[in-house]
Amino acid sequence: MSEHNCERDRELEGVLRQVSAQLRGSLGNIYGALSRIAPPEARDGDGRMDMDAAVLCQSYYRILRLANNLADAANLDGPSAARLRNEDIVGLCREATERAEVPAELLGIALHFKSERPGHVIAVDGERIERLLLNLLSNAFKFIGTGEKRVTVEVRVGREQVELSVSDTGVGIAPELQKTVFDRYLHTDRLDPPPHGLGLGLPICRRIAREHGGSLLLTSEAGRGTTVTVSLPNRREKVQPLRTYLADLGGGYNRTIVELADALPKQAFTQKYLD
């Protein structure tokens, strides 16, 4: 890569960080105003207000997700953001999947979790792996198509690797596009229309896998569905680092709803589901 291109990339990364920070600052003010205009107790008793507020909440969560993804995109080639600790990868993935079951039901999707083991401890950053999994579920939900709607999350434990996969019965990805799904956001002619976003999800997921010393593999067949498999080293930390509390990219709100926001209908943002 030329020196000119490296400098351009550094400038772009700086712009993305600034845009992300400014978006989150403004969004905090918007959500505060919405909470005063349509407080939860009022929404519970007024269906019309609740639905109107849900439209605003839907937009809020989608823009918050975009701001978070822009911040991550600015660091795709930077230092690792992962803080590894020994955690139960099976339990972590099971719990994240269970939290996504109600949103899946709203979309008519049967969401299943599979694992031959009740638990297995490896060194991971739990919040980063949860974000990876929810991003993969968001993609599966958005492109599930019609007909049978089934998404399966599975954890498989091998001697050297632990594999986490998300499989769907969706529309799949055409062969000519599979080679570019990790850099689509760099090309304006390949961007999806709203609400499908900028195509940042898979590059961010691959980044998280690499932070853990792992890898990400996508297999897909047009019209038959897609499977994304994340391989993580089957190892533990000998010394547990002190837990550090980083900035909450969910803004203090339900992280499941934030990460799935692009895939969900406005009903998911009514007070019933936000509580």
Side-chain angles (χ1 to χ4, degrees), residues 206-219:
R206 183 174 64 175
R207 157 74 179 188
I208 294 173
R210 289 176 173 176
E211 288 174 348
H212 288 75
S215 61
L216 183 149
L217 175 67
L218 181 146
T219 57

Side-chain angles (χ1 to χ4, degrees), residues 11-262:
E11 290 177 357
L12 177 59
E13 290 168 2
V15 170
L16 290 177
R17 291 191 189 96
Q18 291 180 34
V19 170
S20 174
Q22 292 187 23
L23 281 174
R24 285 203 293 263
S26 297
L27 284 170
N29 294 333
I30 291 171
Y31 199 84
L34 174 60
S35 298
R36 292 190 295 272
I37 294 170
E41 59 273 15
R43 293 178 61 178
D44 280 334
D46 187 331
R48 178 62 181 274
M49 175 189 288
D50 191 26
M51 193 56 68
D52 288 342
V55 174
L56 295 176
C57 284
Q58 181 184 47
S59 297
Y60 169 83
Y61 277 93
R62 285 178 173 174
I63 298 172
L64 177 58
R65 182 176 186 270
L66 173 60
N68 295 342
N69 283 351
L70 287 175
D72 253 332
N75 193 45
L76 283 178
D77 297 314
S80 172
R83 302 293 184 269
L84 303 185
R85 291 178 58 85
N86 294 334
E87 296 196 36
D88 178 5
I89 185 67
V90 177
L92 189 158
C93 292
R94 180 189 296 109
E95 291 171 8
T97 304
E98 289 174 349
R99 291 198 299 273
E101 285 178 351
V102 171
E105 289 174 3
L106 283 172
L107 296 166
I109 297 171
L111 178 60
H112 303 283
F113 178 81
K114 294 172 58 178
S115 176
E116 293 183 352
R117 299 196 183 192
H120 184 75
V121 175
I122 61 173
V124 294
D125 182 322
E127 290 189 4
R128 297 289 284 170
I129 292 298
E130 179 186 84
R131 185 147 190 252
L132 178 153
L133 176 56
L134 291 174
N135 262 281
L136 295 181
L137 286 175
S138 177
N139 280 348
F141 289 2
K142 282 186 288 190
F143 300 106
I144 195 65
T146 58
E148 181 185 17
K149 296 183 177 183
R150 177 167 43 84
V151 176
T152 302
V153 177
E154 184 173 6
V155 179
R156 297 178 293 274
V157 179
R159 176 171 296 184
E160 301 294 333
Q161 300 286 320
V162 174
E163 292 185 343
L164 158 63
S165 67
V166 176
S167 303
D168 65 64
T169 56
V171 298
I173 303 171
E176 63 272 16
L177 293 179
Q178 291 183 31
K179 298 178 181 179
T180 62
V181 292
F182 294 102
D183 62 357
R184 293 170 66 236
Y185 71 99
L186 297 176
H187 305 283
T188 56
D189 60 326
R190 300 176 188 168
L191 297 183
D192 294 322
H196 294 159
L198 300 178
L200 292 169
L202 282 175
I204 289 171
C205 289
R206 183 174 64 175
R207 157 74 179 188
I208 294 173
R210 289 176 173 176
E211 288 174 348
H212 288 75
S215 61
L216 183 149
L217 175 67
L218 181 146
T219 57
S220 185
E221 184 178 350
R224 299 291 296 273
T226 298
T227 296
V228 180
T229 301
V230 178
S231 296
L232 303 171
N234 187 3
R235 64 179 181 228
R236 301 184 185 186
E237 291 287 288
K238 294 182 179 179
V239 177
Q240 286 281 69
L242 293 174
R243 186 176 293 277
T244 57
Y245 294 91
L246 304 177
D248 180 9
L249 290 182
Y253 306 107
N254 185 320
R255 287 201 300 269
T256 302
I257 299 298
V258 172
E259 297 298 344
L260 298 179
D262 279 1

